[in-house]
Amino acid sequence: MLQIKNIAGGYQRRNIIENLSFIVEKGEMFGILGPNGSGKTTLLKMIGGLIPVRSGTIELEGKPLQAYSAKQLARKIASLPQNNTQMFDYTVWETVALGRYPFQRGFLKRLTYEDEQVIQQVMEFTNVTKLKHLSIKHLSGGEKQRVFLAQALAQNPSLLLLDEPTNHLDITYQKMLLDQLKKWTKSHGLTVVSIFHDINLASLYCDKMLLLKNGQSVLIDDPNAVLNEKTIHHVYDVSAIKQSHPEIARPQMMLSPEHKHDEKKVFTKEDVIQTKELIYVKAASPLKTLSSAVVGGGFGWHRHFVNRHVPTDDHVSGSQTEMINFLLDNGFSPNETIGMLTSSHVEDGVVEEWEEEGISIIIVVTASISHGADASKNMEKHEHVRAINTWMFINGHLSDQAFIEGMVTATEAKTKALFDEGIIDSATGSSAAEASMDSVLLAATQTGSLHHHAGTGATLGKLIAKGVYESTVKAIQNNKQRWTIND
Amino acid sequence: MQKRFTRMYSNNKHVVAYMVTVCFLVFSIFLGVSIGTFPISFFDILQMIGDALFHMGGNGSVDENTQNIVMSIRLPRVILAGLVGASLALAGASFQGLLQNPLADPYTLGVSSGASLGAVFVLFFGIHIPFFGFFTLPVASILTGFMTIIFVIFFAGMIDKAMRIETIVLTGIIMSSFLGALISFMIAMSGEELRQIVNWLLGSVSMRGWVYVMMLLPFFVVGSLLILANGTELNALAFGEEKAHQLGVNVKKRKLLILTSASILAGAAVAISGTIGFVGLVVPHLNRLLWGNDYRHLLPLSALFGAGFLILADLVSRTIMSPTELPIGVITALIGAPSFAFILMKQRMERRG
């Protein structure tokens, strides 16, 4: 579709773009990225034929750009520049209709029926039909942008050049615009070459990306290759962390502000408050968490942690909605809170602090295991209900990998504790491998020393294994004791 | 359904526009022919038109004296005023679109001064270019007018890449002052017929007769046809040269074509009637406000309206202080300068938002 070979060019005598080559295939969405002044707009203008190419060639559909007349070129390439200034009032319809100029012939250049069809269609597509009798001077930036997009699409181009198309748009229209363009690349075979400021947005939509720095190409590849921490640091001179998008296989770069939160306090045992109904923590600043809790599960950042006692025969309690309402009623914001449920008496829960080689962890365990008292209540299901909730608060900075390893380590330690305490899974008759309603939380302050690993080979892992094992054993024993007394 | 509505809407609007504007022009012609030291009734005029149309050359009911006044004094004057008005309006409208500058006009851009210099030069030295003969005067004006606009655009572009409205107008004014000084110098050198040249400079369509109509007509026809053929291109250019290029306009070629034809119109008009300012500013602006900016209609409407406007301006200039005739440029400047200020203010306010 578009073949660019060793081009150089710019304004006056200075070359802004130098020795650049790439190929854009038909139906592709091709992103041009780079810091301010890297030559993005110049490159786009060279492709559009606005700035002459000093050396090298640009070929469009196999023919050099110069071989096209102005009108022929306008039937192939349409552009949406960054700013459209106009001194005079035109209506939206008149503006869009100008997009049919390359197809008009003769002295009066009347619009044909087909022209009007196309105008109608593109106005619907960009959602400006309602505005058609209004003057473009009276439109908002976003509306104007859509009108000029309609004008460009009215040219029925095979290649669309966009200079930061989402500049004046709110996220609703950003998404709508890019989704629609993407659709057109698929359905109409439209090729899009677009400048993006937002790396993450580009990553979501582009098939290929070109990273420019000082008029030269740094990398031309798919988003996954272009978005890597080293390259981005080299080009933009900022440190960003690569993350994958939660839903699609596209990477995203996360920036961290210079000022992170106020200095975090060290987390201590005293932060954990135990009542008859709840064990809860209100941390001074958010902790990074990984958990399997009812509320706030998965990765996240949370400040409040609630482990709530619910009677085993309470059918209402236990749903997520009910838990959220409970949190709200008790002054915990669900967005900031990890919420868990337990049938155990939470005052039996174990809260202990473990320290070794400067690493400190606070471990909180509540355990409820099946017992005779419950069995008599004829709800067969409840006979097997056990829930062991394990919380681990770490004063330290954990990598994502360490988080996962920490979870595994904790689970193994807990299983060992269950085995050693002779807890049998009454459903299968075998030794309980995993309690059915168990929840685990691993939270870290993300300050202080960095831990890459939390497996049993690492100091942190060893501490987790030891702490979780002993706390779990203690919690089970507390639980057993209660039923012994009751019985 | 929706589509048909659009079509009807825009068509109806323009049908009304043409009807109103043509009526205005016809009315102006009638007034221009009718009013003067020797009043002629509308009825007589109608009868003369009837005679001319149906009994070719026949001497009907209107007396010979009246016929003479109409045919050799009033009518050529009115037609000349109309042609000059249409030329200036067309030139102004095209300069505005081309430069995306609502304050552009042959007068503010210095084109009129340039054309005047050419004309004065020809008159002063009594030059006759052999091949052009009778047309030496307009051709010289057109050439100097064209050179002026090219220089103004080049110079404005050199000092301000963005070619802001004010820069272009300032350049035009500087150019005008300089050329005006040259003209004054030549007039001072000539010593005689001073008053006549000064009068001519202020602009007038009086005592020119059919000869001047014939002198202007070919340039008017060529210039206006060329401009009218570029209506859509002017629409595209009004969005800036880059956008016009992206829309498929051959910018270089069209720009040269439009500049040339606008210079032909402005230069020829100046050669015939001297500098009549602000017509090219006021007329397109008013038409824009009334009927929108679509150049395919704005150009013909401005031409028709400009013709009527200048006929009326001429009428006022010769009747208001009768028997003394004011230069027509005085009247157009009295209307035009405040309009200029108004447009400038409006632009400023819009830019500030």
Side-chain angles (χ1 to χ4, degrees):
Chain A
M1 167 81 208
L2 184 69
Q3 271 192 305
I4 292 177
K5 274 186 220 147
N6 299 320
I7 56 162
Y11 306 95
Q12 274 123 34
R13 276 185 210 133
R14 207 162 60 90
N15 273 354
I16 290 173
I17 294 291
E18 221 137 6
N19 195 25
L20 189 67
S21 307
F22 61 90
I23 292 173
V24 181
E25 301 291 346
K26 186 176 158 66
E28 228 174 32
M29 194 128 169
F30 188 91
I32 302 174
L33 288 102
N36 292 334
S38 58
K40 302 185 294 285
T41 303
T42 311
L43 172 61
L44 206 67
K45 284 185 176 175
M46 285 166 82
I47 300 171
L50 284 174
I51 301 176
V53 176
R54 290 231 175 84
S55 61
T57 54
I58 299 181
E59 280 185 11
L60 179 70
E61 293 181 349
K63 270 203 312 189
L65 223 51
Q66 303 92 296
Y68 292 91
S69 76
K71 271 196 180 181
Q72 281 169 342
L73 200 63
R75 273 179 249 156
K76 295 277 178 205
I77 304 180
S79 296
L80 184 62
Q82 210 170 342
N83 341 290
N84 283 291
T85 49
Q86 70 293 310
M87 275 300 154
F88 301 112
D89 267 351
Y90 281 92
T91 65
V92 167
W93 194 86
E94 283 167 348
T95 309
V96 177
L98 260 184
R100 297 305 292 169
Y101 175 80
F103 299 90
Q104 289 169 341
R105 289 163 195 285
F107 187 79
L108 283 176
K109 304 188 177 76
R110 294 193 72 93
L111 293 172
T112 63
Y113 178 71
E114 195 203 330
D115 288 334
E116 300 210 11
Q117 292 284 92
V118 174
I119 294 166
Q120 196 69 26
Q121 196 193 337
V122 294
M123 290 210 306
E124 304 262 308
F125 177 72
T126 53
N127 203 4
V128 295
T129 314
K130 283 195 301 277
L131 311 171
K132 69 175 160 195
H133 296 307
L134 296 183
S135 152
I136 43 169
K137 271 195 170 177
H138 299 137
L139 302 183
S140 73
E143 288 169 331
K144 244 185 241 179
Q145 189 83 337
R146 276 147 53 207
V147 170
F148 282 102
L149 178 70
Q151 187 190 55
L153 291 175
Q155 287 173 243
N156 202 9
S158 29
L159 174 61
L160 185 62
L161 304 178
L162 308 170
D163 194 343
E164 285 184 47
T166 56
N167 215 358
H168 302 284
L169 303 180
D170 60 35
I171 49 169
T172 318
Y173 276 112
Q174 288 191 7
K175 185 174 142 39
M176 195 190 90
L177 174 76
L178 291 168
D179 281 342
Q180 294 277 35
L181 285 176
K182 191 81 187 173
K183 224 198 274 168
W184 267 36
T185 60
K186 299 230 166 84
S187 59
H188 291 56
L190 177 73
T191 310
V192 178
V193 174
S194 176
I195 292 176
F196 281 95
H197 246 325
D198 187 335
I199 311 173
N200 291 330
L201 203 61
S203 163
L204 295 181
Y205 288 97
C206 292
D207 300 302
K208 259 195 184 159
M209 290 158 84
L210 159 68
L211 259 186
L212 275 181
K213 190 183 185 182
N214 300 328
Q216 285 180 320
S217 138
V218 176
L219 194 62
I220 302 168
D221 214 324
D222 57 51
N224 205 12
V226 171
L227 270 73
N228 76 64
E229 289 160 17
K230 262 194 191 149
T231 315
I232 296 299
H233 187 263
H234 169 64
V235 173
Y236 287 96
D237 201 26
V238 292
S239 303
I241 296 157
K242 183 174 175 173
Q243 289 270 309
S244 56
H245 190 280
E247 283 189 344
I248 64 165
R250 292 297 172 103
Q252 299 280 286
M253 299 302 292
M254 298 299 163
L255 289 174
S256 305
E258 191 89 348
H259 300 283
K260 296 190 182 169
H261 274 282
D262 324 340
E263 207 178 305
K264 284 168 195 171
K265 287 178 199 146
V266 175
F267 197 89
T268 64
K269 205 174 151 179
E270 280 66 48
D271 288 321
V272 183
I273 295 156
Q274 234 168 327
T275 68
K276 213 170 150 50
E277 230 188 290
L278 295 176
I279 295 185
Y280 72 89
V281 171
K282 282 188 169 176
S285 48
L287 308 179
K288 187 171 180 184
T289 58
L290 174 62
S291 77
S292 59
V294 181
V295 173
F299 267 114
W301 287 82
H302 295 91
R303 272 166 60 131
H304 301 162
F305 306 88
V306 175
N307 191 1
R308 171 192 170 204
H309 169 75
V310 284
T312 38
D313 54 354
D314 188 344
H315 295 286
V316 184
S317 303
S319 76
Q320 199 184 29
T321 338
E322 195 275 340
M323 184 63 181
I324 287 172
N325 288 334
F326 172 84
L327 291 175
L328 285 171
D329 290 345
N330 288 276
F332 296 99
S333 154
N335 293 324
E336 289 188 306
T337 307
I338 296 264
M340 291 183 184
L341 298 166
T342 179
S343 58
S344 75
H345 295 268
V346 289
E347 68 259 42
D348 293 345
V350 176
V351 182
E352 278 181 331
E353 191 160 356
W354 303 81
E355 206 170 338
E356 204 168 288
E357 290 179 32
I359 307 172
S360 76
I361 328 180
I362 289 85
I363 292 178
V364 181
V365 178
T366 60
S368 79
I369 49 174
S370 53
H371 43 74
D374 229 3
S376 67
K377 290 197 173 173
N378 73 38
M379 297 286 294
E380 210 199 356
K381 200 172 131 213
H382 280 173
E383 240 172 274
H384 320 297
V385 167
R386 301 178 333 265
I388 298 175
N389 290 345
T390 313
W391 289 359
M392 292 164 276
F393 298 96
I394 297 166
N395 283 310
H397 193 154
L398 269 65
S399 69
D400 281 2
Q401 196 180 347
F403 262 97
I404 292 162
E405 286 174 354
M407 289 296 255
V408 173
T409 308
T411 313
E412 281 168 355
K414 185 181 67 183
T415 311
K416 185 157 186 290
L418 285 171
F419 182 79
D420 289 355
E421 284 302 305
I423 308 292
I424 304 295
D425 190 327
S426 41
T428 59
S430 60
S431 163
E434 178 69 37
S436 55
M437 285 181 69
D438 287 5
S439 291
V440 187
L441 159 75
L442 182 53
T445 54
Q446 297 302 84
T447 54
S449 54
L450 179 65
H451 302 282
H452 285 291
H453 296 286
T456 43
T459 317
L460 178 62
K462 280 181 186 140
L463 201 59
I464 289 174
K466 190 173 135 200
V468 169
Y469 177 80
E470 289 186 16
S471 298
T472 310
V473 167
K474 215 182 242 178
I476 292 170
Q477 282 168 357
N478 284 353
N479 191 261
K480 277 180 176 168
Q481 216 169 9
R482 179 176 283 268
W483 299 118
T484 321
I485 296 164
N486 282 6
D487 290 345
Chain B
M1 190 61 217
Q2 192 79 10
K3 186 172 61 54
R4 198 168 297 155
F5 173 74
T6 318
R7 226 175 190 171
M8 268 165 51
Y9 172 85
S10 60
N11 279 358
N12 281 345
K13 187 175 93 176
H14 288 121
V15 168
V16 172
Y18 283 108
M19 270 164 49
V20 169
T21 314
V22 168
C23 285
F24 169 73
L25 175 59
V26 171
F27 180 66
S28 308
I29 293 172
F30 269 75
L31 276 186
V33 172
S34 158
I35 299 172
T37 36
F38 182 88
I40 297 160
S41 69
F42 274 27
F43 181 74
D44 282 350
I45 302 170
L46 279 173
Q47 210 157 28
M48 284 176 63
I49 295 172
D51 288 349
L53 286 178
F54 301 113
H55 331 270
M56 301 298 284
N59 283 347
S61 39
V62 185
D63 73 274
E64 214 165 310
N65 201 15
T66 310
Q67 281 208 16
N68 259 335
I69 291 174
V70 169
M71 289 315 288
S72 55
I73 300 172
R74 295 268 170 89
L75 195 59
R77 181 172 185 152
V78 163
I79 289 179
L80 196 65
L83 287 179
V84 168
S87 300
L88 292 174
L90 279 175
S94 21
F95 283 138
Q96 285 152 24
L98 191 70
L99 302 170
Q100 300 126 59
N101 186 339
L103 294 179
D105 159 272
Y107 188 70
T108 56
L109 290 176
V111 178
S112 295
S113 301
S116 298
L117 182 68
V120 171
F121 196 75
V122 168
L123 294 172
F124 181 65
F125 290 105
I127 297 168
H128 265 276
I129 306 170
F131 182 69
F132 294 111
F134 167 69
F135 292 116
T136 302
L137 189 66
V139 167
S141 285
I142 289 166
L143 283 178
T144 48
F146 182 71
M147 286 186 319
T148 312
I149 184 68
I150 295 290
F151 182 80
V152 166
I153 290 173
F154 174 75
F155 190 71
M158 228 171 51
I159 52 176
D160 174 16
K161 269 218 140 141
M163 295 252 271
R164 263 168 301 196
I165 299 173
E166 296 85 348
T167 317
I168 297 180
V169 172
L170 264 179
T171 316
I173 288 168
I174 295 166
M175 197 66 194
S176 282
S177 317
F178 180 73
L179 295 170
L182 282 183
I183 294 169
S184 300
F185 182 68
M186 271 200 257
I187 293 170
M189 298 257 290
S190 78
E192 48 195 71
E193 290 182 3
L194 195 78
R195 193 185 152 76
Q196 198 198 328
I197 292 188
V198 169
N199 249 342
W200 175 83
L201 278 176
L202 280 171
S204 168
V205 284
S206 69
M207 305 312 285
R208 298 291 209 260
W210 289 108
V211 182
Y212 282 84
V213 173
M214 286 307 147
M215 204 191 269
L216 180 55
L217 200 60
F219 297 101
F220 175 76
V221 170
V222 171
S224 53
L225 281 181
L226 277 177
I227 291 267
L228 289 176
N230 282 294
T232 317
E233 283 77 7
L234 275 166
N235 277 336
L237 282 163
F239 286 91
E241 285 182 26
E242 273 190 9
K243 190 75 231 181
H245 179 97
Q246 287 159 350
L247 286 168
V249 176
N250 187 338
V251 173
K252 263 188 195 160
K253 186 180 124 193
R254 294 295 179 169
K255 214 171 136 181
L256 191 67
L257 203 62
I258 292 165
L259 277 180
T260 309
S261 35
S263 301
I264 289 175
L265 288 169
V270 168
I272 281 21
S273 61
T275 44
I276 299 174
F278 298 110
V279 178
L281 184 90
V282 175
V283 173
H285 190 69
L286 187 67
N287 277 280
R288 242 181 224 122
L289 286 177
L290 288 173
W291 319 114
N293 203 58
D294 187 346
Y295 267 91
R296 289 172 307 160
H297 300 292
L298 181 66
L299 289 169
L301 287 170
S302 292
L304 293 169
F305 189 90
F309 174 78
L310 208 65
I311 291 169
L312 288 184
D314 177 49
L315 178 64
V316 173
S317 77
R318 67 187 154 91
T319 51
I320 197 164
M321 284 177 65
S322 179
T324 319
E325 265 191 35
L326 277 177
I328 189 170
V330 171
I331 305 296
T332 58
L334 280 176
I335 302 169
S339 311
F340 181 91
F342 171 75
I343 299 169
L344 182 66
M345 230 162 66
K346 208 179 108 191
Q347 288 292 328
R348 280 281 164 164
M349 306 245 267
E350 269 175 23
R351 214 180 304 171
R352 239 174 267 152

